């Protein structure tokens, strides 16, 4: 017998939430096979079985919060039984008697009947994670939910079970009316539990706001030259680098590295009474996902060329959207860039990421009339950029100088190539 424990996740992560069991009680598992997915503050982590055998006990359900080192399952020696009701091998005879004349009975029906017979059993109802969450929110017993199709309970099955059945309790017809009156149906609301990641995002952002003296300064960048350079070089760039596309993020990442070298306090953080000046350039790139904003890290940007940075950004964005980011992808950033322009943002004040000293915000490129000199006006593609910074570390002069360096390098991309 082997206990499955929540593994060490990272120095700052002490607990996680059971996101989805990939195996059910009674399933055969191989050594090294993933059996459960944990959702942590930063990424999802799959927990493996250290031995081969049968999953005989699950000690935490989906949605439960579990601490590092706690036992969440037990894997025993042996092989899984072929019977369909493998979650309760000690009661194999009872279902077989009931189903002797019903060879086409579904697994969901068998699971429901067994659940009704013994509420204290460890058998796990077949249901999708979203159906389980919905059932918890609505207070629905999954053992009483019937599937409309297939053998797995889905959200629509839970919704159907949640609908009132007036023929079952006609005497209580007046009660829902009273509840509706109290709930004010003219002002409907939907209450949903925040995901663990969204709770963490809220907590971290509030901590940053409360624990830093955050200030934002702005500048604007004329994107004409960098857009013309990109237009001239993008096809050749893509051919030379195995299909990697030349975007704007590599230009801003390289410009940020050059500015960080010039203003090292922007690449720092406060640790107690010490100022920690980081002499590496691991740049976090904010990525929006369905579950919220994540900030994977492009490592050693000072040592990488434009193509390597572009490819790393693409790879990390894909992993983020597929929920495949590892803890190593998220740890150790020294500075962050966020691009609200992809959503149409014209101007914003981004919030500093974690313990870092500053964050650079990019915005939409908008054609605006710009004074070339006192006699001429031209329409130019312009972008507002913002630097939110911790005023405890960085003075206004440094912040303005940092943004001015970014502006000068983007407006003169040849200089940026020389800096690289």
């Amino acid at each position: 017998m082997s206990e499955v424990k929540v593994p060490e996740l990272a120095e700052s992560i002490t607990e996680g939430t059971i996101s989805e069991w990939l195996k059910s009680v009674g399933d055969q598992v191989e050594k090294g096979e993933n059996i459960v997915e944990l959702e942590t503050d930063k990424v999802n982590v799959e927990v493996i079985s250290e031995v081969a055998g049968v999953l005989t006990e699950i000690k935490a359900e989906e949605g439960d919060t579990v601490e590092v080192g706690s036992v969440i399952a037990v894997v025993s020696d042996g092989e899984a039984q072929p019977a369909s009701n493998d979650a309760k091998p000690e009661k194999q005879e009872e279902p077989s008697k009931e189903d002797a004349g019903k060879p086409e009975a579904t697994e969901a029906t068998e699971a429901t009947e067994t659940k009704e017979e013994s509420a204290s059993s460890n058998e796990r109802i077949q249901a999708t994670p979203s159906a389980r969450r919905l059932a918890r929110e609505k207070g629905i017993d999954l053992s009483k939910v019937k599937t409309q199709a297939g053998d797995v309970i889905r959200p629509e099955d839970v919704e159907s079970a949640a609908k009132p059945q007036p023929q079952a309790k006609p005497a209580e017809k007046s009660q829902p009316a009273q509840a509706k009156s109290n709930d004010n149906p003219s002002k409907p609301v939907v209450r949903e539990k925040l995901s663990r990641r969204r709770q963490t995002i809220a907590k971290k952002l509030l901590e940053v706001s409360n624990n830093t003296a955050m200030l934002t300064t702005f500048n604007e960048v004329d994107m004409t030259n960098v857009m013309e350079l990109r237009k001239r070089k993008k096809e050749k760039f893509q051919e030379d680098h195995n299909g990697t596309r030349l975007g704007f993020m590599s230009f801003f990442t390289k410009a940020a590295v050059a500015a960080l070298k010039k203003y090292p306090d922007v690449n720092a953080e406060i640790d107690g009474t010490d100022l920690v000046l980081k002499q590496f350039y691991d740049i976090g790139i904010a990525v929006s996902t369905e579950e919220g904003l994540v900030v994977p890290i492009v490592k050693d940007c000072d040592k990488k060329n434009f193509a390597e940075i572009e490819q790393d950004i693409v790879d990390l964005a894909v992993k983020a959207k597929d929920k495949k980011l590892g803890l190593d992808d998220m740890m150790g950033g020294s500075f962050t860039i966020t691009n609200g322009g992809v959503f149409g943002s014209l101007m914003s004040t981004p919030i500093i990421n974690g313990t870092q000293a500053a964050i650079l915000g990019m915005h939409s490129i908008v054609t605006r009339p710009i004074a070339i000199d006192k006699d001429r006006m031209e329409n130019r593609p312009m972008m507002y950029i913002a630097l939110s910074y911790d005023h405890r570390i960085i003075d206004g002069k440094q912040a303005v100088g940092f943004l001015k360096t970014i502006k000068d390098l983007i407006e003169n991309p040849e200089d940026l190539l020389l800096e690289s």
Side-chain angles (χ1 to χ4, degrees):
M1 183 182 75
S2 175
E3 294 180 332
V4 179
K5 298 181 179 181
V6 179
E8 292 290 336
L9 300 169
E11 185 177 350
S12 61
I13 300 177
T14 60
E15 62 182 19
T17 300
I18 302 292
S19 174
E20 180 181 4
W21 281 100
L22 307 177
K23 293 287 185 178
S24 301
V25 170
D27 285 353
Q28 186 77 35
V29 296
E30 302 298 330
K31 183 177 181 180
E33 186 176 8
N34 296 325
I35 61 174
V36 63
E37 185 178 78
L38 291 178
E39 182 183 1
T40 73
D41 295 350
K42 296 182 181 293
V43 295
N44 285 17
V45 178
E46 290 180 332
V47 181
I48 66 170
S49 173
E50 298 292 341
V51 299
V54 179
L55 182 62
T56 54
E57 186 177 0
I58 288 177
K59 294 178 175 288
E61 290 297 321
E62 292 172 0
D64 290 351
T65 297
V66 290
E67 295 182 353
V68 169
S70 62
V71 178
I72 55 176
V74 175
V75 176
S76 301
D77 296 335
E79 296 183 357
Q81 298 296 320
S84 61
N85 57 329
D86 53 1
K88 289 187 65 182
E90 70 275 11
K91 286 197 175 185
Q92 286 177 2
E93 293 182 2
E94 286 184 35
S96 64
K97 291 178 181 179
E98 294 177 6
D99 297 331
K102 300 186 295 180
E104 297 180 357
T106 64
E107 294 179 8
T109 303
E110 293 170 355
T112 302
E113 292 171 350
T114 306
K115 183 71 177 181
E116 290 172 349
E117 291 170 2
S118 177
S120 63
S121 76
N122 287 326
E123 178 160 328
R124 180 170 169 272
I125 302 297
Q126 299 259 356
T128 66
S130 56
R132 289 181 180 278
R133 284 193 293 271
L134 187 61
R136 284 195 296 271
E137 292 169 3
K138 293 183 176 293
I140 302 297
D141 185 350
L142 283 176
S143 67
K144 295 178 172 59
V145 176
K146 295 183 179 180
T147 60
Q148 299 175 12
D151 58 356
V152 178
I153 297 174
R154 303 186 183 279
E156 53 266 29
D157 301 324
V158 178
E159 290 284 4
S160 178
K163 291 179 180 178
Q165 304 295 330
Q167 68 277 14
K169 294 185 178 182
E172 297 181 2
K173 283 184 178 179
S174 59
Q175 189 172 353
Q178 181 64 32
K180 286 183 180 180
S181 175
N182 292 338
D183 291 341
N184 192 356
S186 66
K187 305 290 184 182
V189 298
V190 176
R191 184 181 296 272
E192 295 180 352
K193 185 176 178 61
L194 288 174
S195 68
R196 180 178 185 84
R197 188 157 302 153
R198 179 54 66 182
Q199 291 180 51
T200 301
I201 290 172
K203 178 182 176 182
K204 296 295 184 184
L205 292 179
L206 189 59
E207 285 178 357
V208 169
S209 297
N210 291 337
N211 298 328
T212 63
M214 195 170 68
L215 188 64
T216 304
T217 188
F218 299 89
N219 210 320
E220 61 178 354
V221 179
D222 185 343
M223 299 290 289
T224 301
N225 291 335
V226 74
M227 290 177 73
E228 288 179 353
L229 175 62
R230 179 173 175 267
K231 185 177 181 180
R232 292 197 315 269
K233 299 293 185 180
K234 65 179 182 179
E235 291 184 4
K236 184 69 163 55
F237 185 92
Q238 197 164 346
E239 290 175 4
D240 292 344
H241 298 288
N242 300 318
T244 300
R245 299 177 63 183
L246 179 60
F248 292 121
M249 287 303 300
S250 55
F251 286 94
F252 278 90
T253 301
K254 279 295 188 182
V257 170
L260 290 170
K261 289 180 178 179
K262 189 174 181 180
Y263 297 94
D265 285 355
V266 183
N267 202 40
E269 68 176 77
I270 290 179
D271 183 12
T273 58
D274 295 333
L275 179 65
V276 181
L277 295 166
K278 301 171 184 176
Q279 297 183 336
F280 58 89
Y281 303 92
D282 294 350
I283 309 299
I285 306 295
V287 177
S288 177
T289 70
E290 291 182 357
E291 296 182 345
L293 198 70
V294 294
V295 187
I297 311 299
V298 180
K299 306 290 178 64
D300 300 319
C301 289
D302 57 322
K303 302 173 184 177
K304 292 179 177 176
N305 59 33
F306 282 70
E308 291 171 325
I309 291 173
E310 289 287 356
Q311 190 58 55
D312 282 356
I313 291 173
V314 170
D315 292 343
L316 289 170
V318 170
K319 290 172 72 174
K321 291 175 180 177
D322 292 342
K323 302 180 183 179
K324 298 297 183 183
L325 285 172
L327 289 172
D328 185 60
D329 295 322
M330 306 284 288
M331 306 297 288
S334 62
F335 182 76
T336 297
I337 301 175
T338 181
N339 184 6
V342 297
F343 304 110
S345 172
L346 182 62
M347 187 179 291
S348 67
T349 57
I351 297 179
I352 299 168
N353 182 31
T355 59
Q356 295 172 12
I359 180 173
L360 176 68
M362 299 165 56
H363 300 93
S364 295
I365 300 172
V366 178
T367 301
R368 296 200 303 271
I370 300 297
I372 305 304
D373 52 42
K374 64 179 182 179
D375 299 318
R376 291 184 303 143
M377 298 279 290
E378 287 186 11
N379 288 333
R380 294 290 184 91
M382 304 298 294
M383 175 194 287
Y384 288 119
I385 56 175
L387 183 75
S388 291
Y389 59 97
D390 190 343
H391 210 347
R392 298 176 303 165
I393 303 174
I394 304 164
D395 293 330
K397 180 180 178 181
Q398 294 171 297
V400 171
F402 182 93
L403 271 192
K404 183 66 164 52
T405 301
I406 298 284
K407 170 183 171 69
D408 291 343
L409 289 172
I410 297 298
E411 291 183 346
N412 299 279
E414 291 81 4
D415 294 344
L416 180 57
L417 294 173
L418 292 174
E419 285 282 349
S420 300

